[in-house]
Amino acid sequence: MKKALLFFLLSLLPMAMVAKANTAEKDSTTFRGYLYNQKYDVFIVMDFYHNNVMVPQQEIYGAMSGYFGDREDGRKWLFTAATIKNGKTAEIQIINDYGSEDLIATLTTDDGKNFKLKQVKGSTLKIARNRKWLKMPKELDFVKR
């Protein structure tokens, strides 16, 4: 009986270690926060760990992984899903706030401060400037604030 109890307790130890490792990844801050691109005056708000970001004035969509916004315009590109591939790369599914355009992008970092958003497949990110659409480059650099 004592051997069975000892075996049972020892078999629970690896599960506890796995649970602790998953919790540590969920508490990381690499893919959580505010990113800014000064050249185009655009930003990203994200939390790829908890997927609990609410888009201001568009709460009807519910909690998301994040969004891409422009400081001069109220329209947003919504991050409907984000998958962290490793500690430095995430794949993001993005749609515009009308749902008419979508794309897949990757967000990568080397140091946790500088990020690169690369549009991989689908539509092109656009923002409104001077009553015209301005297409964003396929690769945008961001700095974490």
Side-chain angles (χ1 to χ4, degrees):
M1 181 68 177
K2 288 182 182 180
K3 287 183 181 180
L5 182 61
L6 180 62
F7 176 75
F8 177 73
L9 291 175
L10 288 176
S11 66
L12 291 178
L13 186 62
M15 288 187 283
M17 292 171 55
V18 168
K20 179 145 178 79
N22 288 340
T23 304
E25 177 152 330
K26 287 277 188 190
D27 292 336
S28 178
T29 59
T30 304
F31 291 105
R32 180 187 311 149
Y34 180 87
L35 307 178
Y36 182 68
N37 176 288
Q38 186 173 4
K39 181 176 180 181
Y40 293 98
D41 203 17
V42 294
F43 61 91
I44 291 175
V45 176
M46 64 181 176
D47 186 347
F48 296 171
Y49 303 103
H50 301 103
N51 301 313
N52 60 357
V53 176
M54 298 296 282
V55 181
Q57 300 174 350
Q58 297 180 12
E59 291 83 5
I60 192 165
Y61 295 122
M64 313 203 132
S65 300
Y67 60 93
F68 173 91
D70 174 13
R71 295 175 55 97
E72 296 181 24
D73 186 36
R75 289 174 272 242
K76 306 286 188 263
W77 287 81
L78 312 174
F79 297 175
T80 56
T83 306
I84 300 172
K85 297 295 183 182
N86 56 42
K88 298 181 184 233
T89 304
E91 184 177 88
I92 313 165
Q93 295 179 10
I94 306 172
I95 63 168
N96 66 352
D97 51 3
Y98 295 110
S100 61
E101 298 184 70
D102 65 337
L103 66 120
I104 296 174
T106 59
L107 186 66
T108 58
T109 183
D110 287 330
D111 58 4
K113 182 169 172 50
N114 297 301
F115 289 79
K116 184 177 293 284
L117 180 72
K118 182 177 181 182
Q119 300 174 50
V120 178
K121 181 176 160 187
S123 303
T124 302
L125 286 171
K126 295 177 251 185
I127 59 173
R129 289 290 161 84
N130 301 323
R131 299 185 336 199
K132 294 183 180 182
W133 288 115
L134 174 64
K135 290 183 178 181
M136 294 284 96
K138 291 289 184 188
E139 291 187 10
L140 278 169
D141 293 323
F142 289 88
V143 176
K144 193 170 195 175
R145 288 192 172 176

